Amino acid sequence: MVATPFTPIASLLGGALIGLAAVLLMWTAGRIAGVSGIVARLFPPYEDRQFAGRLAFLAGLVIAPILVRLVTGSLPTQTIAAATPLLIVAGLLTGFGAVWGSGCTSGHGVCGLSRLSVRSLVATITFMATGVATVFAMRHWS
């Protein structure tokens, strides 16, 4: 079994930054910070005045690890013990789930729950339970 590192301070800071970003996006643009919706609306047929903001939000997701590397001199260790075909299937299922669930984990779990959305509560319970079941199955049955 692979040990998972316990990083409460980094996790707390990361969660606070995600919350701050969600609040700032809602405050400045009146938009919910759901990454799947932001990315989907970068492509046709969507056309609105939010394109530059959406692009900046996505750029922030890409630039953040680069900034971590510049500030600390290294990146956090990442270990993915899965074959490429499994990762492709997982990515497709995640994308399908975001479309089918009308939002992703950030949209439902961060923004939807803070707005007391029942739909987001059901979505969050569903993806958290599925995640727990998947980790349990992968660690104990594979």
Side-chain angles (χ1 to χ4, degrees):
M1 180 162 62
V2 177
T4 304
F6 181 62
T7 58
I9 294 173
S11 300
L12 180 64
L13 290 174
L17 287 173
I18 291 169
L20 178 63
V23 167
L24 287 174
L25 187 62
M26 178 62 82
W27 184 37
T28 60
R31 304 293 305 181
I32 293 172
V35 176
S36 64
I38 289 171
V39 171
R41 285 172 182 80
L42 285 172
F43 301 99
Y46 297 103
E47 291 184 24
D48 61 18
R49 290 178 271 172
Q50 302 282 330
F51 182 81
R54 293 180 203 288
L55 200 57
F57 189 90
L58 185 60
L61 294 175
V62 174
I63 292 169
I66 297 168
L67 292 176
V68 167
R69 169 102 182 188
L70 290 173
V71 171
T72 66
S74 66
L75 291 172
T77 302
Q78 295 289 320
T79 303
I80 301 175
T84 301
L86 180 61
L87 294 175
I88 291 170
V89 170
L92 291 171
L93 287 173
T94 301
F96 175 75
V99 171
W100 196 37
S102 299
C104 58
T105 54
S106 56
H108 284 303
V110 176
C111 299
L113 290 180
S114 65
R115 293 181 304 114
L116 304 177
S117 165
V118 173
R119 183 176 78 161
S120 290
L121 176 63
V122 171
T124 303
I125 289 169
T126 301
F127 63 67
M128 290 301 292
T130 302
V132 168
T134 301
V135 169
F136 180 84
M138 294 303 291
R139 288 195 175 181
H140 296 287
W141 295 338
S142 60

